[in-house]
Amino acid sequence: QVQLVESGGGLVQAGGSLTLSCAASERTSSRHTMAWFRQVPAKELEFVAAINWSGVSTYYADSVKGRFTISRDNAKNTVTLRMNSLKPDDAAVYYCAAGAMSPFDGSSSYTKRTKYADWGQGTQVTVSS
């Protein structure tokens, strides 16, 4: 089991930027796809971004494409989500997740919460208008 700890959340004005980090407890390279999801009260968990084990492939929700960037450093066991041009609609609790994808998993698999077995505790992002 991979233990994940998120950090970097906080309060930012609309149009501003934040960088979220996720520290993993063991080597994340070669096995784990990493992703960020977010959730607001009374709504479903929403996929935000994912990155494959090597960092070569990335996936984004349409709502954040062009504004958010996911990256990873396997040597440091960290995953980062850089969020630019933040909007009030981006306010949520952001969760880091780790999962094992098979070679047969298509791109849509990376957006499914059921593909991720390990989750962090979440970090709050608040965007003021």
Side-chain angles (χ1 to χ4, degrees):
Q1 184 178 4
V2 179
Q3 293 183 333
L4 305 169
V5 178
E6 302 97 334
S7 61
L11 172 65
V12 64
Q13 286 188 330
S17 299
L18 272 180
T19 299
L20 304 183
S21 294
C22 175
S25 62
E26 65 174 66
R27 285 185 59 84
T28 59
S29 63
S30 80
R31 286 193 296 160
H32 294 104
T33 290
M34 302 298 294
W36 289 92
F37 287 76
R38 66 187 182 187
Q39 190 170 31
V40 297
K43 288 193 175 181
E44 292 287 322
L45 194 66
E46 177 189 17
F47 168 77
V48 176
I51 187 166
N52 77 328
W53 67 271
S54 66
V56 169
S57 299
T58 56
Y59 308 86
Y60 296 95
D62 288 342
S63 59
V64 307
K65 205 170 290 184
R67 299 187 297 121
F68 291 12
T69 302
I70 188 171
S71 60
R72 67 189 297 163
D73 185 336
N74 288 336
K76 295 181 179 180
N77 297 336
T78 58
V79 178
T80 298
L81 184 69
R82 174 66 176 177
M83 306 184 294
N84 295 326
S85 303
L86 282 161
K87 306 174 182 179
D89 284 350
D90 295 317
V93 177
Y94 282 71
Y95 296 92
C96 178
M101 301 292 172
S102 80
F104 305 103
D105 282 318
S107 57
S108 64
S109 296
Y110 290 79
T111 70
K112 297 177 180 177
R113 63 179 295 179
T114 55
K115 284 291 187 178
Y116 298 90
D118 299 300
W119 294 80
Q121 82 289 348
T123 185
Q124 177 72 50
V125 172
T126 304
V127 182
S128 63
S129 56

